[in-house]
Amino acid sequence: MSEAGQGDKPQQPDETMQLKLPPSFRADETMQLRVSDIPAVPDMSEGENEGGGKQRSSKNRRKAPQPSLFARISSFLGPRLAPLLAVLAPYVARVTPYARKLRPQYPRPGRTDWRRWIPSWRQCLGGVLTSIGLSSMLLVVAYAATDIPDNINSYATQQDNVYFWADGTPMARTGWVQRQAMPLKDIPEDVRWAVLAAENASFYSDPGISFKGISRALFRTIGQGDTQGGSTITQQYVKNVYLNQNQTVSRKFTEAMIALKLDNQMSKDDILEGYLNTSWFGRGTYGIQRAAQAYYGKDVGELNASEAAFLASLLKGAGLYDPTLNSANRARAVERWSWTLDRMVDIGKLSKAERAKYTKFPEPLKANPLYDTGEQSDYLVELASQYAKKAGNISDKDFDLGGYQIYTTFDKKRQAQLTGAVTKARKDALKDDPENAKAAHYGASSVASDGRILAVYGGPDHRTQGYNESNATTVSAGSAFLPFVYAAGLENGIHKTRDGDTTPVTGETLYDGDDKVPVTTPEGPYWDRSGKVVAAKNDDGESYGQISLHRALELSVNTPFMQLGMDAGLDVVRTTAEKSGLLSSSIGAQVPALSMGSSTPSAIRMASGYSTFAAGGKHTEPYSVRLITKNGTKVVLDTPDADRAFGADVAEEVNSALADSFRTAHPDDVPSSQQAAARAGSLGQVAGKAGTTQDDTAAWYVGTAKAVSTAVVVYRIDLGKSLQPLPLKGIAGTTDDSVPYGIWSGAMSPLG
């Protein structure tokens, strides 16, 4: 039988592929091939040839020829793969008869017992060859079907983050996210080979991928549910520039295919240059040039092999190898740095003599000098960026990529007033008492009753003092804590007996206001661990006899509130303070001293707590960002909602007592509207209270005007010697001339 004819009319060649296939190769018309359906010998067509028997019917003679399997596959995959299939077709046709012979037959004929179920060596060999062939075909098809993307992603196009004041005007443009592309010729060879030694020593000889590394990574990903290295520098560059950072098998496969193509289309030097300019080194920097500036304050061309070896370690994960973050990081960085230098010697890129010079770890700068937005705006940027990442669910790495517009809650005018008031007080102290003023610290914050942080004073200069004094939990609140004890008693009542009924408390409830009154429990006096009876003390040792709670808060009498805390329950006092806005981590031990302000809240949290009284007993967590956009698209924020801390009647009574406290202590500063507001019982009146500690280590003033609460704290700590608070020694002024109150009134002016 000839190759062309079966029946009367020769079959036309397939028009898509133009391939001649052996007569034994026919595609099942349903494309549903099963091994069991393949006959042992070639199947004959319905009609015989001219020499015998049946002839095709006229109906069959008129039927159009069916397209071949390869034609259908070609049509499905598109014209791009047609030439490839045309090349593979003859080989497939040649292998098909052998595949039929090697097809498994179970149970095996001519065998008995368990031997019937054991495949022959031919079948095993056929299975292995088939697997290799299919895998090779899959890789060839995948390689041909994968294109190098036209557009690089945001990892290679870094942007700054821009911060705006509450009124929408620009406040700061951060320098954290910076990238400066450097030609490879300007990057010293020691720097290049430090990176290559640490990441991919065979870079100049490999095909762009590491088969061993990919196999290991796939095994880890599939077998153990996580991912494990194995990428060449070419693959890492592809991931940085063209793909995302998702650790999935599909992403790794695509990465490998693009890396193979890229290695054939770009020179090794161009790939290395791109990699060094787009890799993330931490501290908001992308690229070796900005990394050199961020960690060593110099250009990349000035780095030596030792410094380069440290920077190369950051490619393993800057959050794990930046030694300035913690001691564990430093240990890892030193180990990796030493290993990289030894590796450079092993691959012949650093002499043993030069290696011997580098015995001391090259300590990087403690802070990134590229980050420079100004004296106070640094503190604002720090607060806003921390809140933005948390509320917007933005990772550190994504935030460092930049492109975000952060609209803050900071009021430009209030910020200027607060900064000016603290700056003046600091200068006056340095002038009047320079010795003690050297260790003086001032923290302040203004928070609206709806939770917006309007202004903060974090320190003299973020570049010389990195921590934020407005957000520090360093010193105790002292008597500024008394309003929270008062609110706890008013809201929950008191228990004079262990199992007795709750007795309501009002502003007119009387307590003993004498100095050194023993604190009692239902069982009797409260004894401390040293065996002494605990007694409350008033400022200056003054006694007041029986005094109402309202009057006691107005005059800042301590002893009634120490006993009130015991009667209401110290756990209740703690809960009330936390609901009002104080962090649980800053609340003092659950002993009688808790009511006297042993807690150490920050200025932001104290202002937030007092704003709860002004908001009618509703508390909103303080926040510093109201809107975030990225390239014009809004980022969804987890904005805080107001929660009920205590009843509105409780808030009104506490606020009324604080208003009387302000009016009694500072009668000359009472605005003309204060009397009318007091008569109306308005929560909008000016209210405030001073706070002192028995050990004279902190002085506070916290007050509210126009629904904005401001807290100011002054304390002394010699950071060069200890973190232990020191006596103020007059730095905070006197009762009649209080420095915290002076700062508060200057920041809140005008009060009316």
Side-chain angles (χ1 to χ4, degrees), residues 400-418:
D400 283 351
L401 288 177
Y404 291 96
Q405 296 79 46
I406 298 99
Y407 295 86
T408 73
T409 60
F410 302 126
D411 185 294
K412 193 173 184 178
K413 181 179 178 181
R414 287 185 179 274
Q415 179 64 37
Q417 283 188 220
L418 180 60

Side-chain angles (χ1 to χ4, degrees), residues 562-746:
M562 196 167 189
Q563 185 59 54
L564 176 63
M566 297 298 295
D567 295 342
L570 296 177
D571 57 334
V572 175
V573 173
R574 178 188 182 95
T575 300
T576 301
E578 291 177 0
K579 286 184 176 181
S580 300
L582 273 62
L583 295 177
S584 59
S585 59
S586 69
I587 303 297
Q590 207 160 291
V591 295
L594 174 65
S595 298
M596 292 297 96
S598 61
S599 302
T600 58
S602 66
I604 291 176
R605 288 291 169 172
M606 280 296 280
S608 176
Y610 272 57
S611 72
T612 304
F613 303 128
K618 288 186 176 182
H619 171 69
T620 304
E621 277 291 289
Y623 64 98
S624 56
V625 176
R626 59 183 178 84
L627 173 67
I628 302 177
T629 61
K630 185 174 185 180
N631 298 327
T633 302
K634 286 186 178 180
V635 176
V636 178
L637 292 179
D638 295 332
T639 54
D641 296 321
D643 294 319
R644 173 65 64 185
F646 36 76
D649 56 337
V650 172
E652 183 173 359
E653 168 55 31
V654 175
N655 209 66
S656 175
L658 290 173
D660 288 341
S661 176
F662 171 79
R663 184 168 53 251
T664 300
H666 308 283
D668 296 336
D669 294 336
V670 177
S672 58
S673 60
Q674 176 76 5
Q675 296 297 332
R679 287 193 298 270
S682 172
L683 291 176
Q685 57 193 313
V686 179
K689 185 184 183 312
T692 57
T693 60
Q694 293 183 3
D695 55 3
D696 190 38
T697 56
W700 291 79
Y701 196 87
V702 191
T704 305
K706 298 179 181 178
V708 174
S709 298
T710 296
V712 179
V713 60
V714 179
Y715 59 97
R716 290 180 67 245
I717 291 180
D718 189 343
L719 296 176
K721 296 180 179 179
S722 170
L723 295 179
Q724 195 69 24
L726 302 172
L728 287 170
K729 294 185 176 181
I731 291 297
T734 63
T735 302
D736 296 330
D737 186 19
S738 167
V739 171
Y741 176 76
I743 295 173
W744 180 88
S745 61

Side-chain angles (χ1 to χ4, degrees), residues 10 135 169 175 182 230 239 270 305 309 326 396 399 485 503 522 550 560 573 609 677 752:
S135 299
T169 57
M182 295 291 290
K239 179 179 64 176
D270 287 342
N326 54 59
D396 288 341
F399 196 79
V485 183
T503 302
H550 183 105
V573 173

